[in-house]
Amino acid sequence: MQLSMKWLADYTDVSDISIKEYCDRMTMTGSKVETFEVLAEDITKVVVGKILSVVPHSNSDHLVICQVDIGAEEPVQIVTGANNVFAGAVVPVATDGSTLPGGVKIKKGKLRGEVSCGMLCSIGELGLTTHDMPGAIEDGILILNDVGLADAPLGRDIREVLELSDTAVEFEITSNRPDCLSVIGLARETAVSFGKELKLAPPAKPAARNDGETIEKYLSVDVLNAELCTRYSARVVKNVKIAPSPLWLRMRLRASGVRPINNIVDITNYVMLEYGQPMHAFDYKCLDGSHIIVRNAEEGETFTSLDNEQHTLNASSLVIADEKKAVALAGVMGGLNSEITDDTVTVVFESAMFHPGNVRVTAKKQGMRTESSARFEKGLDSENTMPALDRACELIALLGAGEVVDGTIDVYPTKKVPFVMPLEAEKINQFLGVDLTREYMADIFRALDFGVSDDNMTLTVPTYRDDVRCMNDLAEEVLRIYGYDKITSTLSSKATPTNGARTERQNFDMKLHDLLCGMGLDEIETFSFISPSWYSKIRLADDDARRTSVVISNPLGEDTSVMRTTVLPSLLKVLADNASVKNKEVALYEMGKVYLPVEGELPEEPGRLAIGFYAGDDKKGEGFYRMKGILEAILYIAGIENADFAPCTDALTFHPGRCAVMSKNDTQLAVFGQIHPAVADNYNFNVPVYVCELDMEALYAARRLMMDYKPLPKYPALERDFSFVCGEDTPAGLISREIKEIGGKVVESAELFDIYRGPQIGEDKKSVSYAVQLRADDHTMTDEEADATVKKILAGLADKHGITLRQ
């Protein structure tokens, strides 16, 4: 919102406040100022002059010599090439030493031997257009006689004469304060911020004409969708005289960033800026049947907007129509088929309230973001339609632009009821940490146009403040006016001071970060939202629960439309990007979250650790054991002993022969292995790639909270080597665990050191060899004790699993 300080002065006096102080204070009270600009600041020493004579230049066939009266003792001589100057013309004169927009400096000099003491200015040289100065020409000197300024005092600063001197302040208005998208709204904020009087009077309603004509003779209105159009107000103006708006109105629009067009269109724009209520004017003769119908568009209905663009609508869009066609897209833009033209004689003024969500969706679908839609989509006040309509009619009378027909059409089926709430001063003080009186708070709310009861106990919220609905909102209003800078730092009386420190989970995660970085892996961090097609790239089954994702309601695109349920696609994409630029060896990890949907609730957000790497050829499958080694190091850091590693053949993302599951006490901790060849093709890998996805929540829950201290052994160990014959499907880890369990506490370790397959072992059989270390804690173990333990182990393996010694 761009605010003209001259316009603001109509409502409150800030003449004694510097622009810097104004901007700072407004920002502190919640109306953030982006920037300000002193308009026409770069125009200096340009004054009004009157051409006394025009004679041809003796040494040029296109230059003329003008004697110009600028209110000084003597006329000044100016040489110009303009062909529209004449004796008696009143013109802007850039005198010696003057400056113009764009950094142009004017100096006294000679042209073809004749002295020229300045320059006569065109509208372009003053930074103006023909919209700002109707009646002027673009390629000649600005003749003030042609724009109604023939009586301008000679020698007067041109900025004053053309009303260019102003300061425009640009505000960033938050979406919860649409009332501040208006001069009146910002004037109200200004008045309360500086303790000034707000001079706000209701617009004068035009006097009844009593000529027997009422609006019912001209127009009828039907609202067919009262949910999307909660109020529709209209008035009719006859005997319209289309003409340029007066200079003061044009310059206010210009200072607000709006281009003047003609008096009728300018009035609607002026009211929109002043009251914050978008309006539209229809040419009455273009309304078939003299009937306005507010309805949903028909599917596939076409509509040509004022900017001469054709749009195809669907049934969700709301239109203003007559009996044959749509004449406006509700809340967005009017139609070319009912625009105001030079031959318009009767005008219908519309001031309505449309559903903010519907306006936003329609504007977005049609690519038509306008000043009107930007206001409607934030949610306006339905009580504002009639004051805005009255102001438009007041301006019609003030400008002599037409005659307002008696009567108003106001379709308003459900009147907006003001919200009433208690002023809980004690709670507000406690909430803010201040000690303000109830009377002080009540005065703030009175200044903000809230209704305050006589006992200061109850507030009536203005209808334009839908953002105030609870005690916290009231506290915010008090604080921003009282001053954020006045709040002193205090320690909550209910708080117990503590030393800042990481949580146990954060420390656990940091240990893993240190471990993985120390093992040569680089950390990555990817987006949590992905494309649903990525699930197919990693070959998730159609019925896999991980395909059910949280869908983003307003995604940037299909590639970022859902929240991920697995980190693997993101990890593989980064690996693939590295492979595509010929990085030969890459090892990465990401510790992030996945998002698992829960019906009717916010999604669960468990942590995941994804690890991935590739390194050249890897014909022998060393990558699988490297990944297993990384996981074993993680188990060591977590203090988890005797975890199980078992083959996995049903994980479709992985190679069926090079995939395993790591678990503890039947709880799956991780799945790891080489990716499936089809997945490798999807990502254009030409080397083996190994990945792992580890459940951080399960790992953290299984961690060992306290580490047991075990002193160095005092007595020597005995070692026995065994080669067992077992089934091909028997996991080597199972045998190791059974040896320890059957042998008891004297079995210190059972390490696999060889696997053999051959015809002498038998079909579907394998030979596995272990080095078993035996040690007693309280004495030197004898061979007899060791042999007894060995017999116990062999018998137990044979009985439980049919595992025998290799002969």
Side-chain angles (χ1 to χ4, degrees), residues 435-623:
D435 186 18
L436 304 176
T437 64
R438 177 181 296 276
E439 290 70 24
Y440 177 81
M441 295 183 190
D443 287 342
I444 288 177
F445 287 112
R446 287 190 183 95
L448 288 170
D449 202 26
F450 283 62
V452 183
S453 62
D454 293 338
D455 58 2
N456 296 335
M457 298 295 290
T458 306
L459 300 176
T460 301
V461 182
T463 55
Y464 55 80
R465 290 301 303 274
D466 288 335
D467 60 310
V468 178
R469 287 298 179 267
C470 66
M471 184 277 293
N472 300 39
D473 299 328
L474 296 179
E476 180 185 7
E477 296 299 301
V478 170
L479 182 57
R480 70 186 183 88
I481 303 303
Y482 173 67
Y484 293 102
D485 53 328
K486 296 179 183 178
I487 300 296
T488 56
S489 298
T490 58
L491 187 64
S492 172
S493 59
K494 297 182 180 180
T496 303
T498 60
N499 292 325
R502 292 192 181 101
T503 65
E504 185 178 348
R505 174 59 184 270
Q506 288 172 332
N507 283 326
F508 181 76
D509 290 349
M510 288 302 297
K511 286 182 180 179
L512 294 186
H513 280 296
D514 291 343
L515 171 70
L516 295 168
C517 289
M519 298 181 77
L521 280 76
D522 294 311
E523 184 185 7
I524 62 171
E525 185 173 355
T526 59
F527 288 126
S528 297
F529 32 86
I530 63 173
S531 167
S533 64
W534 286 16
Y535 295 138
S536 297
K537 291 188 74 172
I538 63 168
R539 299 185 73 240
L540 289 190
D542 292 341
D543 58 351
D544 194 306
R546 288 174 292 176
R547 281 188 176 270
T548 303
S549 306
V550 176
V551 179
I552 299 173
S553 59
N554 56 340
L556 297 175
E558 195 276 339
D559 288 344
T560 55
S561 59
V562 300
M563 304 299 289
R564 67 186 179 189
T565 58
T566 171
V567 189
L568 290 182
S570 304
L571 176 72
L572 285 168
K573 184 181 186 304
V574 178
L575 287 170
D577 289 343
N578 278 272
S580 68
V581 294
K582 310 301 181 185
N583 283 345
K584 294 182 179 180
E585 294 188 13
V586 178
L588 308 172
Y589 78 93
E590 177 176 7
M591 198 178 294
K593 292 184 179 295
V594 296
Y595 301 84
L596 308 180
V598 179
E599 183 68 31
E601 298 180 19
L602 292 173
E604 295 179 357
E605 301 182 22
R608 295 286 188 267
L609 172 61
I611 303 171
F613 57 81
Y614 64 83
D617 197 2
D618 191 52
K619 290 183 178 178
K620 297 181 179 180
E622 294 95 338

Side-chain angles (χ1 to χ4, degrees), residues 232-244:
Y232 194 96
S233 309
R235 296 202 73 163
V236 172
V237 179
K238 65 179 182 178
N239 298 327
V240 169
K241 304 175 184 66
I242 302 297

Side-chain angles (χ1 to χ4, degrees), residues 270-282:
Y270 190 90
V271 172
M272 177 184 69
L273 293 171
E274 188 174 42
Y275 279 73
Q277 172 64 41
M279 292 184 61
H280 188 64
F282 299 102

